Amino acid sequence: MYTMMSIRIYLISLILFISCIDLSDDDNQRNNTLPIQTSFKVEDFSSAEECAGCHPQHYAEWSSSMHAYSMVDPVWLKQQNMQQAHNSVNGIEIGDFCVQCHSPVAGLTNLIENHIDLTNDVINSLPAQVKEGVTCDACHLTTHLPSPTNISIDNHNYETTEFKLYSSDTRYGILDNPIENDFHKSVYSSDYDKSEFCQNCHNLTVDNRDAETTQFEWEGSAFQAMGVECQTCHMPLYSGKAAITGPDRDNLHRHFFPGIDEALIDFPRKVEHRVALEDLLLTAAEINLFETPPDTIKSDTVWNARLIISNNTGHNFPSGTSFPRQLWIEVFAIVDDDTLLASGFLDARGDIYDFYIDPDRNIDPQLNIFNTILYNTEGDSGLLKVSVENMVEMVNNTLPVSDSRIVDYSIQIPSGMNGQLELTARLRFRSFPPFYLRHLGLESLIENVNIFDIDAISETVYVSSN
Ligand code: HEC
Ligand code: HEC
Ligand code: HEC
Ligand code: HEC
Ligand code: HEC
């Protein structure tokens, strides 16, 4: 899997459309006789509202999820418009490139006419199935497992996300002996329990170079070997009714799909989504002292405090769109009123002194942040510059799957010092840094971004001048 600093070429360019999805590639997973549809109308998909009456629990959870948010997500909307404008200046049409995963119904039906100035008003005028982003039927009409997505800049082939759906009055799922209802037939499919189910959207390569590779990170890991799928962690089991008229069942799956994001605008059930998110993040990683510190440290020496951070997620941490994420360590070493070390602290605007704010590492030289950075030939970042097609490399500093990282903090103990040194460290995580939202012109949303403290330690060491 990944090495600590695997440098991978990244070249995402933004790109374009093609209405017909290649479905010639037969499902080789198993001999599945269910049909696959090749062209779609909006009416082939029902709105989630139509499911709500009989599946209130599933609807409620899904409606708080990022899947329901993906087409009205203001960060997404800004980014997609910037990518469109940038490419258009260079004579390139990227069409449904972003839409295809963020609103499969819009992508599959070519419903968006003007991609350049996609506004909330335009989105609000679209049919519900489109506004609903990754809506129920984008998943529950799936008849075969899709492949991961590779787009090609070289071949100008940009709208390649595969959907193996068939629209009929049947919905597929994992229930044994589903009871009948007037709206749809129910058919069991074991595919819904597998990670591959998610990979058309959750694994993106660009001319076969890694871009957002959550599925690839999971593949070959101990989690795969143990049968711990994406659904195991992101759709945990509970007992209840799958439908209001149905029997009690003990194998239902939560539909909150927590990750790191929370809706930054008014959105249903934020409180419930936060609880699901906190439950997930509680397990995400651990921070510990790697070496037991000595009972006493002499003054006028340098103490090297070693921390170990272990990743417990089913993939790298962060994963997917890891470029804007911030996962970092905040460390303080304090003796009475003297701060001997401070790292990972926030400035007055809520930023940390990372690559973007402090490229020369003058202010916080010991900062440890685990993310990916995209560079072009001038060294500029891909996060702030839209010209991602000019990317020449991606530095991957995420925590690798099933692995840990050891980091050192050197703490200079002044001469003549006596007292108790309090060392505290927190592993902190947030979806977006303030500078990025300011850059997008979304500063009013900054206050809605929460920082989650994944784990923390504190340790007391004695400092003596004798
Ligand atoms: C292959 C499917 C796919 C394509 C194509 C795609 N995305 Fe995404 N996008 C995703 C997935 C999946 C996530 C969630 C991943 C994560 O949170 O790590 C995501 C997350 C994002 C986010 C972060 C959203 C948030 O609120 O945290 C932004 C912004 C975004 N995408 C913008 C874009 C833009 C702009 C494009 C087109 C240039 C695009 N995406 C194309 C699948 C895709
Ligand atoms: C008229 C009520 C009704 C409506 C409307 C309805 N369903 Fe269902 N659905 C049911 C019942 C009843 C079951 C079976 C529940 C059980 O046996 O526990 C079911 C089962 C399912 C299953 C499990 C299928 C399986 O075999 O595992 C899925 C998935 C599903 N529905 C999705 C949807 C979606 C998506 C919509 C909206 C497009 C929807 N349903 C609309 C009543 C309904
Ligand atoms: C062992 C549990 C586990 C498994 C298995 C797992 N995840 Fe996660 N996932 C987590 C945790 C914990 C987080 C929060 C930390 C993070 O962002 O990585 C997370 C975060 C995410 C995110 C947000 C990542 C980000 O940083 O923006 C996405 C998207 C995601 N998972 C998708 C998947 C997919 C797709 C699979 C299957 C290939 C999967 N997960 C398998 C536990 C798991
Ligand atoms: C991103 C894909 C996705 C979306 C969107 C989605 N589901 Fe599901 N759903 C699944 C998967 C996958 C399973 C089975 C999970 C497993 O077996 O591990 C499932 C299971 C179900 C089941 C079977 C009972 C259970 O809880 O396992 C029902 C009913 C259901 N979903 C209804 C809905 C409804 C209604 C919506 C929209 C309001 C919806 N789903 C949205 C992927 C999705
Ligand atoms: C049709 C495309 C599609 C499919 C299929 C899909 N997802 Fe997603 N998923 C997305 C997009 C797009 C986002 C990000 C939306 C946003 O934030 O704007 C997302 C977000 C998520 C997140 C939240 C990430 C975060 O940063 O908080 C998780 C977790 C997740 N998906 C898990 C899954 C799992 C598990 C499956 C399979 C059962 C799945 N998804 C199937 C498109 C998809």
Side-chain angles (χ1 to χ4, degrees):
M1 295 288 349
Y2 294 168
T3 52
M4 272 182 37
M5 282 276 280
S6 84
I7 295 183
R8 292 174 298 161
I9 308 291
Y10 184 92
L11 256 176
I12 228 195
S13 172
L14 306 168
I15 332 292
L16 154 61
F17 100 120
I18 164 183
S19 66
C20 96
I21 293 191
D22 179 11
L23 296 166
S24 56
D25 185 28
D26 263 358
D27 181 8
N28 49 16
Q29 309 284 335
R30 67 203 165 95
N31 197 4
N32 182 340
T33 55
L34 293 170
I36 297 175
Q37 191 169 335
T38 53
S39 76
F40 293 86
K41 316 185 286 304
V42 172
E43 306 76 57
D44 288 339
F45 302 87
S46 298
S47 158
E49 301 291 339
E50 291 191 57
C51 322
C54 298
H55 298 292
Q57 186 68 28
H58 288 79
Y59 175 81
E61 293 175 4
W62 165 85
S63 67
S64 81
S65 74
M66 292 304 111
H67 287 144
Y69 180 66
S70 64
M71 193 61 171
V72 295
D73 176 345
V75 181
W76 176 80
L77 189 56
K78 268 275 170 180
Q79 276 285 7
Q80 108 85 38
N81 284 341
M82 284 166 70
Q83 306 281 17
Q84 295 281 352
H86 167 78
N87 280 279
S88 160
V89 166
N90 297 327
I92 299 169
E93 279 276 325
I94 67 167
D96 276 339
F97 173 55
C98 311
V99 163
Q100 61 185 335
C101 297
H102 285 260
S103 179
V105 179
L108 290 169
T109 61
N110 299 309
L111 208 73
I112 307 224
E113 281 160 14
N114 178 1
H115 291 91
I116 305 267
D117 294 310
L118 199 53
T119 59
N120 284 320
D121 285 348
V122 172
I123 291 170
N124 281 329
S125 72
L126 296 170
Q129 300 90 310
V130 171
K131 277 187 284 187
E132 286 165 3
V134 186
T135 188
C136 315
D137 274 355
C139 289
H140 283 292
L141 296 175
T142 302
T143 54
H144 297 67
L145 290 172
S147 304
T149 297
N150 177 57
I151 62 152
S152 174
I153 295 169
D154 299 346
N155 300 326
H156 297 278
N157 210 358
Y158 310 120
E159 201 186 326
T160 54
T161 302
E162 192 175 72
F163 290 92
K164 293 190 170 176
L165 311 174
Y166 187 77
S167 164
S168 70
D169 59 358
T170 302
R171 297 297 179 279
Y172 304 89
I174 48 72
L175 296 181
D176 298 325
N177 305 317
I179 64 156
E180 288 187 6
N181 74 82
D182 296 339
F183 185 79
H184 65 77
K185 298 198 188 69
S186 297
V187 170
Y188 174 85
S189 166
S190 60
D191 287 353
Y192 283 68
D193 234 345
K194 299 196 176 115
S195 286
E196 286 77 5
F197 186 87
C198 320
Q199 70 183 356
N200 53 337
C201 301
H202 283 276
N203 207 89
L204 175 65
T205 52
V206 177
D207 288 312
N208 297 313
R209 288 182 287 265
D210 291 353
E212 296 164 16
T213 54
T214 307
Q215 168 74 16
F216 286 176
E217 291 158 6
W218 170 87
E219 272 173 16
S221 71
F223 296 99
Q224 183 184 32
M226 293 183 301
V228 179
E229 311 287 317
C230 317
Q231 291 87 332
T232 316
C233 299
H234 292 288
M235 304 184 75
L237 287 168
Y238 69 102
S239 300
K241 285 183 191 297
I244 45 168
T245 52
D248 287 328
R249 295 180 180 272
D250 60 6
N251 64 336
L252 305 184
H253 297 86
R254 294 282 177 213
H255 276 58
F256 291 110
F257 299 96
I260 172 58
D261 276 302
E262 296 182 280
L264 301 179
I265 52 176
D266 271 349
F267 209 65
R269 299 179 185 80
K270 285 195 188 187
V271 176
E272 287 92 328
H273 190 266
R274 168 68 67 84
V275 172
L277 198 48
E278 283 172 346
D279 283 352
L280 178 85
L281 292 176
L282 211 58
T283 67
E286 280 165 54
I287 185 166
N288 285 296
L289 272 172
F290 185 65
E291 284 160 358
T292 319
D295 293 339
T296 307
I297 303 174
K298 286 241 177 294
S299 60
D300 201 17
T301 58
V302 174
W303 177 38
N304 193 35
R306 295 206 119 171
L307 304 178
I308 180 164
I309 302 94
S310 311
N311 176 11
N312 299 331
T313 76
H315 34 71
N316 292 14
F317 183 11
S319 184
T321 45
S322 40
F323 354 106
R325 308 290 182 230
Q326 285 190 322
L327 174 70
W328 80 99
I329 308 177
E330 179 206 70
V331 185
F332 289 107
I334 297 173
V335 178
D336 298 327
D337 292 334
D338 292 322
T339 300
L340 307 187
L341 170 72
S343 178
F345 50 90
L346 303 178
D347 72 8
R349 307 215 287 178
D351 282 306
I352 54 174
Y353 294 96
D354 70 348
F355 166 84
Y356 301 96
I357 302 287
D358 181 23
D360 299 327
R361 309 202 75 169
N362 289 327
I363 300 163
D364 191 350
Q366 302 207 51
L367 179 70
N368 279 295
I369 176 162
F370 310 102
N371 63 354
T372 50
I373 300 177
L374 312 179
Y375 293 90
N376 66 21
T377 45
E378 283 109 55
D380 280 331
S381 85
L383 188 55
L384 301 181
K385 299 270 187 283
V386 186
S387 58
V388 271
E389 74 279 9
N390 295 326
M391 285 306 138
V392 292
E393 66 177 30
M394 171 166 106
V395 171
N396 188 342
N397 198 35
T398 57
L399 299 173
V401 63
S402 301
D403 210 343
S404 53
R405 295 270 289 275
I406 295 166
V407 297
D408 290 325
Y409 289 92
S410 68
I411 303 168
Q412 173 74 51
I413 319 278
S415 65
M417 180 170 265
N418 289 294
Q420 283 187 13
L421 185 157
E422 303 291 347
L423 179 79
T424 55
R426 294 195 279 186
L427 184 64
R428 318 199 78 192
F429 188 32
R430 65 181 164 191
S431 53
F432 301 119
F435 74 82
Y436 175 62
L437 295 177
R438 282 198 297 273
H439 172 75
L440 295 179
L442 297 172
E443 42 277 270
S444 65
L445 303 181
I446 293 171
E447 62 180 16
N448 301 341
V449 176
N450 189 44
I451 301 179
F452 294 89
D453 287 325
I454 308 284
D455 197 16
I457 53 159
S458 70
E459 188 77 22
T460 305
V461 186
Y462 292 92
V463 172
S464 162
S465 56
N466 303 314

